[in-house]
Amino acid sequence: MAFLYSPYAIPLFVAAAIAAALAYYALCRRKQAEALIFGLTMIAQTLTLLFYGLTTSGANLETAYLFNRLKYIGVLLVPPLWVILALQYTQRQHLLTRRNVILLFLPAVVIFPIVMTNPLTEWWWIGIKMLTLNGVSAGVTSESTSLLYKLNLVILYSYMAWGLVLCVIHFIRHKERIYRSQTTLMIIAGAIPVVGNIITQAIRHLNLFPWGLDSPLFSLSGVLVAIAIFRYRFLDIVPVARQVVVDQMPEGVIVIDAKGRIVDANPAAQAMLETSAGSIIGQSLPEATQIPELQQALAEITRSGKNPQDNRDVALSTQDGERVLSLSVTPLRHKASEPVGQIILLRDISEQVAARRELEALYQQTELERERLSLAIRTATDAIVLLDTQGTVLASNPPARQILKAQQSDRFPTSVQEFLSQIETVAGVAKAEVDIGEQTFHIVAALIPGTGLVLTMHDVTHFKQLARLKDEFVATVSHDLRSPLNAILGNVEIAQEKSFPEEERLDALKQAEKTVYHMVEIIQDLLDLARLEANIPIEMTTLQLDELAREAAERLRRTALTKGLHLQHDLDRHPPIEANRQLIARVWQNLIENAIKYTEEGTIIVRVKAVENQVMGQVIDTGVGISHVDLPYVFDKFFRVRHPKIQETTGTGLGLALVKSIVEKHRGQIWVESELDVGSTFTFTLPL
Ligand code: ADP
């Protein structure tokens, strides 16, 4: 190889340096999609100019011829790269499929070997020789060129024209000023080599340069494109959606073609698919991810083909818990034709899903608590009602509805209305006792500021009755104990009176003693009753009711006889019963004693009969009888019939109450049938 200085090489080297600088500048910014292609174009242009310069500086044919052929590396690559750049700029990336790109570079791939092998074949140049211009070495020239050479010229200029036309169409479509100036730059850049060529042809006869002006001027085109790209930053502005919105949006965007191959994907999509390093463009959709759940969903989307809309949520189990991706698929149509692909929007909705779940759980918990509270209020035996500030019922439970019978407070029972009218101005809690019909209620009103008030009503009727009974009982007991005490006092005074005859004083003492025994009897009966009512467990044994009846009758036979009464018994044998011997003996004792006490003449019959699964005891007399007015009260404590004949006899009025209490303690029943001056029949039954 041999070189010499040729001034014609200088413009070429300068242009090569400019192209190289532009290539370096662009490749440093190759993150911008179009900058990479521009950079590659500039490398190709650098090679063209560099090798052209070396051709021109070749000192012999061998050197010049070699570089003239090598120059074709760049010459062949620049036009297809320029077309790709123009397609990208004019938003026609979808045309840049693998097949189309291969087709674009096909002429270059075919022609380059032909050029390189020209010394053997002369399929390109015919008759190569050194060229001198104005006495200075200026590279090589040929006697003629092949048809292939001319065909290639047509192809290369078509490429250049294609790029130019794309820019012009873009210019016409985009009327916005900023786009206009950028596209103008692009058009000028595209037109410069063409214009250069025309000028070259026009001034050819002047023999100014050995080369066409288009070659160095293409670097000027490069400068203009660089200004368009990096100065106007059109590639940042024009495809705003692609660059700023799509690339920077948190949602993942994937575009697939009709065959399900990925043609575009933004960084967010790649992150969500967790793709290993490298681009997923060109892969089939399910191949783009290693996450099994996502793979399955994407495979289904691909299978569903051009089906219109598809929305689905995919739950992925990751190391830090669950992640949920929402996928929405929309078909892409080209001017209302068949879908040409699909756009898939991926959104990470893990946070929303987690928040929704939390909300659901919270709602369920609240619902459960509300349900529990409502159940508690519904099943409460106390009446509970919630009123608003206007006195309208907001909520109430069944007892409240039964008692108040209204949905508005001014229709409540009068006593409740009165209570409410008193508390209206009072804050806090108000309590009272109100009567509604036969019932008494303890009513509590709690004011809830801003809402109204809660009324609770507790039925205290039973306690009221108990309190009254207790008062009555205390009054009766004190009366029945005070009378004998007064009698004792009177007798003791007589006994102490020395002026009274001895006999009278002794008699008074005897009376006092009798009264004391009577009081002891009352107290004993009261204690027995209290013990029974206190529910202290009693000792049960197996016994025969008839046997106890016979024993009692035998014990009292003498007493009956002294009054001239016949005491008979009619006792059936029956299966033994479970009962307390002492208490059942007491029942017979009291009933037979009463029959003797309240009968003047006639017969007393003591009877025991087994009836079905019960055993029945009866004491029948032919005595004074009890009037129907008194009949309901004979089993009450301290009750004694107000009849002179009865008042003559001594008694506590507690005997029958005790008998009833004992029978009921044994789960039995007792009743009396009686007619005045005819006689009485006391009957009790005990379960077998
Ligand atoms: P007491 O006999 O001590 O007065 P009881 O409780 O045994 O008290 O009886 C209550 C009342 O019932 C008696 O005072 C009496 O008036 C009436 N009574 C009880 N047994 C008979 C009877 N067999 N015949 C008529 N009246 C009776």
Short mmCIF file of all heavy atoms in Angstrom, two decimals, residues 24 30 33 67 92 98 109 113 136 145 148 202 213 260 299 315 406 421 439 496 505 509 516 523 578 588 669:
data_model
loop_
_atom_site.label_atom_id
_atom_site.label_comp_id
_atom_site.label_asym_id
_atom_site.label_seq_id
_atom_site.Cartn_x
_atom_site.Cartn_y
_atom_site.Cartn_z
N TYR A 24 -20.31 9.25 17.28
CA TYR A 24 -19.94 9.13 18.69
C TYR A 24 -21.00 9.80 19.57
O TYR A 24 -21.49 9.22 20.55
CB TYR A 24 -18.57 9.78 18.91
CG TYR A 24 -18.16 9.81 20.37
CD1 TYR A 24 -17.70 8.64 20.99
CD2 TYR A 24 -18.24 10.99 21.11
CE1 TYR A 24 -17.35 8.66 22.34
CE2 TYR A 24 -17.89 11.01 22.45
CZ TYR A 24 -17.45 9.85 23.07
OH TYR A 24 -17.12 9.87 24.38
N ARG A 30 -27.56 6.58 22.87
CA ARG A 30 -28.32 5.57 22.12
C ARG A 30 -29.54 5.06 22.87
O ARG A 30 -30.32 4.28 22.33
CB ARG A 30 -27.42 4.41 21.73
CG ARG A 30 -26.92 3.61 22.91
CD ARG A 30 -26.00 2.51 22.43
NE ARG A 30 -25.41 1.82 23.56
CZ ARG A 30 -24.40 2.29 24.29
NH1 ARG A 30 -23.85 3.44 23.97
NH2 ARG A 30 -23.94 1.62 25.33
N ALA A 33 -34.32 5.63 21.18
CA ALA A 33 -34.41 4.58 20.17
C ALA A 33 -33.81 5.00 18.83
O ALA A 33 -33.02 4.29 18.24
CB ALA A 33 -35.85 4.16 19.99
N PHE A 67 -9.38 0.53 -1.53
CA PHE A 67 -10.21 1.38 -0.66
C PHE A 67 -11.48 1.83 -1.38
O PHE A 67 -12.51 2.03 -0.74
CB PHE A 67 -9.40 2.57 -0.13
CG PHE A 67 -8.45 2.16 0.95
CD1 PHE A 67 -7.08 2.09 0.75
CD2 PHE A 67 -8.96 1.78 2.21
CE1 PHE A 67 -6.23 1.67 1.75
CE2 PHE A 67 -8.09 1.37 3.20
CZ PHE A 67 -6.73 1.30 2.99
N ARG A 92 -43.61 4.69 12.14
CA ARG A 92 -43.99 3.47 11.40
C ARG A 92 -43.15 2.28 11.88
O ARG A 92 -42.85 1.37 11.10
CB ARG A 92 -43.79 3.68 9.90
CG ARG A 92 -44.83 4.62 9.30
CD ARG A 92 -44.61 4.79 7.81
NE ARG A 92 -45.68 5.53 7.21
CZ ARG A 92 -45.79 6.85 7.22
NH1 ARG A 92 -44.88 7.57 7.85
NH2 ARG A 92 -46.82 7.46 6.66
N ARG A 98 -38.73 -8.17 11.47
CA ARG A 98 -37.44 -8.79 11.15
C ARG A 98 -37.32 -9.01 9.63
O ARG A 98 -36.29 -8.75 9.04
CB ARG A 98 -37.34 -10.12 11.90
CG ARG A 98 -35.92 -10.57 12.08
CD ARG A 98 -35.84 -11.88 12.83
NE ARG A 98 -36.37 -11.74 14.20
CZ ARG A 98 -36.42 -12.74 15.07
NH1 ARG A 98 -36.00 -13.94 14.70
NH2 ARG A 98 -36.91 -12.56 16.28
N VAL A 109 -26.11 -6.80 1.08
CA VAL A 109 -25.47 -8.09 1.33
C VAL A 109 -25.09 -8.76 0.00
O VAL A 109 -24.03 -9.36 -0.12
CB VAL A 109 -26.43 -9.00 2.16
CG1 VAL A 109 -25.85 -10.39 2.32
CG2 VAL A 109 -26.69 -8.37 3.52
N PRO A 113 -20.14 -8.46 -1.92
CA PRO A 113 -19.20 -9.45 -2.46
C PRO A 113 -18.90 -9.21 -3.94
O PRO A 113 -17.74 -9.38 -4.37
CB PRO A 113 -19.92 -10.78 -2.29
CG PRO A 113 -20.98 -10.54 -1.27
CD PRO A 113 -21.35 -9.09 -1.38
N VAL A 136 -3.16 16.34 -10.33
CA VAL A 136 -3.04 15.80 -8.96
C VAL A 136 -3.74 14.45 -8.93
O VAL A 136 -4.77 14.27 -9.57
CB VAL A 136 -3.71 16.75 -7.93
CG1 VAL A 136 -3.58 16.18 -6.53
CG2 VAL A 136 -3.13 18.13 -8.01
N THR A 145 -19.23 1.21 -16.46
CA THR A 145 -19.78 0.49 -15.30
C THR A 145 -20.80 -0.51 -15.81
O THR A 145 -21.39 -0.33 -16.88
CB THR A 145 -20.47 1.45 -14.32
OG1 THR A 145 -21.35 2.28 -15.07
CG2 THR A 145 -19.48 2.29 -13.58
N LEU A 148 -25.46 -3.84 -13.39
CA LEU A 148 -25.69 -4.04 -11.95
C LEU A 148 -25.38 -2.75 -11.20
O LEU A 148 -26.12 -2.35 -10.29
CB LEU A 148 -24.77 -5.16 -11.48
CG LEU A 148 -25.22 -5.98 -10.27
CD1 LEU A 148 -26.56 -6.65 -10.53
CD2 LEU A 148 -24.16 -7.02 -9.92
N ALA A 202 -24.14 19.14 -12.93
CA ALA A 202 -24.18 20.43 -13.62
C ALA A 202 -22.77 21.00 -13.82
O ALA A 202 -22.49 21.61 -14.85
CB ALA A 202 -25.05 21.40 -12.84
N LEU A 213 -20.46 15.64 -5.21
CA LEU A 213 -20.67 16.48 -4.02
C LEU A 213 -21.52 15.79 -2.96
O LEU A 213 -21.47 16.12 -1.79
CB LEU A 213 -21.36 17.79 -4.44
CG LEU A 213 -20.44 18.94 -4.81
CD1 LEU A 213 -21.28 20.10 -5.33
CD2 LEU A 213 -19.60 19.39 -3.63
N GLY A 260 -49.00 -12.87 17.82
CA GLY A 260 -48.72 -13.00 19.24
C GLY A 260 -47.27 -12.71 19.58
O GLY A 260 -46.80 -13.01 20.67
N ALA A 299 -50.39 -16.99 27.90
CA ALA A 299 -50.64 -18.02 26.89
C ALA A 299 -52.12 -18.02 26.53
O ALA A 299 -52.49 -18.12 25.35
CB ALA A 299 -50.24 -19.38 27.43
N ALA A 315 -52.88 -13.45 40.23
CA ALA A 315 -52.21 -13.41 41.54
C ALA A 315 -50.91 -14.19 41.44
O ALA A 315 -50.89 -15.32 40.97
CB ALA A 315 -53.10 -14.01 42.60
N ALA A 406 -95.86 1.83 69.94
CA ALA A 406 -95.90 2.98 69.02
C ALA A 406 -94.51 3.26 68.48
O ALA A 406 -93.51 2.85 69.06
CB ALA A 406 -96.42 4.21 69.75
N SER A 421 -90.92 13.84 79.06
CA SER A 421 -91.04 15.30 79.06
C SER A 421 -90.20 15.91 80.19
O SER A 421 -89.68 17.00 80.06
CB SER A 421 -92.51 15.71 79.20
OG SER A 421 -92.95 15.34 80.49
N GLN A 439 -98.53 -3.35 85.33
CA GLN A 439 -97.08 -3.57 85.49
C GLN A 439 -96.34 -2.31 85.93
O GLN A 439 -96.79 -1.19 85.68
CB GLN A 439 -96.48 -4.04 84.15
CG GLN A 439 -96.88 -5.46 83.78
CD GLN A 439 -96.50 -5.75 82.35
OE1 GLN A 439 -97.10 -5.20 81.43
NE2 GLN A 439 -95.52 -6.62 82.16
N GLN A 496 -99.08 -11.20 139.85
CA GLN A 496 -98.27 -10.43 140.82
C GLN A 496 -99.15 -9.69 141.84
O GLN A 496 -98.67 -9.22 142.85
CB GLN A 496 -97.42 -9.41 140.06
CG GLN A 496 -96.21 -10.05 139.40
CD GLN A 496 -95.49 -9.04 138.52
OE1 GLN A 496 -96.11 -8.11 138.03
NE2 GLN A 496 -94.20 -9.26 138.32
N ARG A 505 -104.65 -16.14 140.84
CA ARG A 505 -103.27 -15.82 140.42
C ARG A 505 -102.62 -17.03 139.74
O ARG A 505 -101.93 -16.90 138.73
CB ARG A 505 -102.43 -15.37 141.61
CG ARG A 505 -102.80 -13.93 142.07
CD ARG A 505 -102.28 -13.58 143.41
NE ARG A 505 -100.83 -13.59 143.45
CZ ARG A 505 -100.14 -13.54 144.59
NH1 ARG A 505 -100.79 -13.51 145.75
NH2 ARG A 505 -98.84 -13.54 144.57
N LEU A 509 -101.25 -17.50 135.82
CA LEU A 509 -99.93 -18.03 135.44
C LEU A 509 -100.06 -19.15 134.41
O LEU A 509 -99.29 -19.24 133.45
CB LEU A 509 -99.19 -18.54 136.67
CG LEU A 509 -98.37 -17.50 137.43
CD1 LEU A 509 -97.70 -18.12 138.63
CD2 LEU A 509 -97.30 -16.87 136.52
N VAL A 516 -97.48 -18.73 126.13
CA VAL A 516 -96.08 -18.87 125.75
C VAL A 516 -95.93 -20.08 124.81
O VAL A 516 -95.26 -20.00 123.76
CB VAL A 516 -95.17 -19.01 126.98
CG1 VAL A 516 -93.76 -19.46 126.58
CG2 VAL A 516 -95.10 -17.70 127.73
N ILE A 523 -93.78 -19.66 116.38
CA ILE A 523 -92.39 -19.47 115.94
C ILE A 523 -91.85 -20.73 115.27
O ILE A 523 -91.18 -20.68 114.24
CB ILE A 523 -91.52 -19.00 117.13
CG1 ILE A 523 -91.92 -17.56 117.47
CG2 ILE A 523 -90.03 -19.09 116.81
CD1 ILE A 523 -91.48 -17.09 118.82
N GLU A 578 -90.99 -41.93 97.26
CA GLU A 578 -89.78 -41.26 97.75
C GLU A 578 -90.23 -39.98 98.44
O GLU A 578 -90.81 -39.10 97.81
CB GLU A 578 -88.87 -40.88 96.58
CG GLU A 578 -88.06 -42.01 95.98
CD GLU A 578 -86.91 -42.42 96.89
OE1 GLU A 578 -86.15 -41.54 97.32
OE2 GLU A 578 -86.82 -43.63 97.22
N TRP A 588 -100.11 -35.29 107.61
CA TRP A 588 -101.24 -36.05 108.20
C TRP A 588 -101.65 -35.45 109.54
O TRP A 588 -102.82 -35.23 109.81
CB TRP A 588 -100.86 -37.52 108.40
CG TRP A 588 -100.85 -38.35 107.13
CD1 TRP A 588 -99.81 -39.07 106.65
CD2 TRP A 588 -101.94 -38.55 106.25
NE1 TRP A 588 -100.15 -39.72 105.48
CE2 TRP A 588 -101.49 -39.39 105.21
CE3 TRP A 588 -103.25 -38.09 106.19
CZ2 TRP A 588 -102.31 -39.81 104.17
CZ3 TRP A 588 -104.04 -38.52 105.15
CH2 TRP A 588 -103.58 -39.35 104.14
N GLN A 669 -99.81 -31.97 94.73
CA GLN A 669 -100.80 -30.89 94.72
C GLN A 669 -101.73 -31.08 95.91
O GLN A 669 -101.94 -32.20 96.38
CB GLN A 669 -101.63 -30.96 93.44
CG GLN A 669 -100.87 -30.42 92.25
CD GLN A 669 -101.62 -30.65 90.96
OE1 GLN A 669 -102.17 -31.75 90.76
NE2 GLN A 669 -101.66 -29.64 90.12
#
